[in-house]
Amino acid sequence: HIQVGWGRVAMPGMPFNQQMLFPCELHLRTTEEGPRLHTTPVREIARIYASSEVQENQSVTGTSSLAQGELLDIEATFDVSQAQKLTFDVRGVPVTLDVAQGELTCLDNTAPLKAKDGKVSLRMLVDRTTIEIYGNAGRVYMPVGVVLDANKQDVSLSVEGTAKIERFRASRLKSIWAP
């Protein structure tokens, strides 16, 4: 089952304030709390990858630069068993995982996201006016409307404690709009 969400975000200088979000697949999965809806981006997004960079098996303490680009698909799996907090700076917008509290936060949005066997996976689709965050294979879906600063294109990670990047992939996306 495919869903295309409808988002609202104030667009400076535009006569509209709404947009379609990335298409997602909906899955009903069994969890420790019973059946739960999971949301993951459609695999066809890979068709608009311009390039990808992969990092594996790296320990992170303090702050590290991870990627750069305007339109991004970021996938990461971390061992957070020795970390208290991870904060991504996604083009100037903080996305924070409080490991101790089991919470994911971006701007005014918060959702429960607990490590499973000491690990957390995150996927973030970064567009010009949204960051769509998927946690633990779609257990959490958090679309956040925000107009991103075109001059800020860095993605970095700050860690309180130590986290191990098991796998990190940043793919730059081509625009779907013809020039």
Side-chain angles (χ1 to χ4, degrees):
H1 291 61
I2 306 293
Q3 166 187 285
V4 176
W6 194 247
R8 288 177 37 162
V9 61
M11 298 286 298
M14 296 293 173
F16 56 86
N17 68 348
Q18 300 175 38
Q19 69 185 46
M20 291 186 293
L21 301 176
F22 281 96
C24 298
E25 291 185 42
L26 304 176
H27 310 273
L28 192 60
R29 295 189 176 135
T30 302
T31 71
E32 56 279 358
E33 289 98 16
R36 294 293 185 264
L37 184 66
H38 286 62
T39 305
T40 56
V42 296
R43 66 180 172 268
E44 287 82 1
I45 290 170
R47 292 182 181 176
I48 60 171
Y49 287 178
S51 63
S52 295
E53 296 174 21
V54 175
Q55 299 175 35
E56 294 180 311
N57 301 317
Q58 295 182 6
S59 291
V60 180
T61 56
T63 301
S64 297
S65 179
L66 294 176
Q68 188 171 37
E70 180 183 26
L71 310 172
L72 296 165
D73 183 357
I74 297 167
E75 288 188 84
T77 302
F78 295 95
D79 180 331
V80 295
S81 57
Q82 301 299 311
Q84 293 78 45
K85 189 180 285 188
L86 281 69
T87 301
F88 286 89
D89 181 315
V90 180
R91 297 190 51 208
V93 177
V95 177
T96 302
L97 174 64
D98 186 325
V99 178
Q101 295 294 322
E103 286 186 341
L104 179 69
T105 304
C106 182
L107 301 178
D108 294 331
N109 304 282
T110 300
L113 184 62
K114 296 182 180 184
K116 185 170 183 173
D117 299 323
K119 298 181 184 177
V120 169
S121 68
L122 289 173
R123 185 165 179 187
M124 294 180 276
L125 290 168
V126 183
D127 201 351
R128 292 181 181 104
T129 58
T130 57
I131 300 173
E132 295 182 46
I133 306 165
Y134 306 81
N136 288 350
R139 179 73 185 260
V140 169
Y141 173 49
M142 181 186 293
V144 179
V146 58
V147 178
L148 294 160
D149 185 339
N151 295 315
K152 293 182 181 177
Q153 300 208 357
D154 294 326
V155 176
S156 63
L157 173 64
S158 296
V159 178
E160 291 179 20
T162 301
K164 181 180 179 190
I165 297 174
E166 292 195 349
R167 181 169 166 78
F168 177 89
R169 188 197 75 218
S171 300
R172 286 172 199 73
L173 304 176
K174 296 180 269 185
S175 175
I176 63 167
W177 300 105

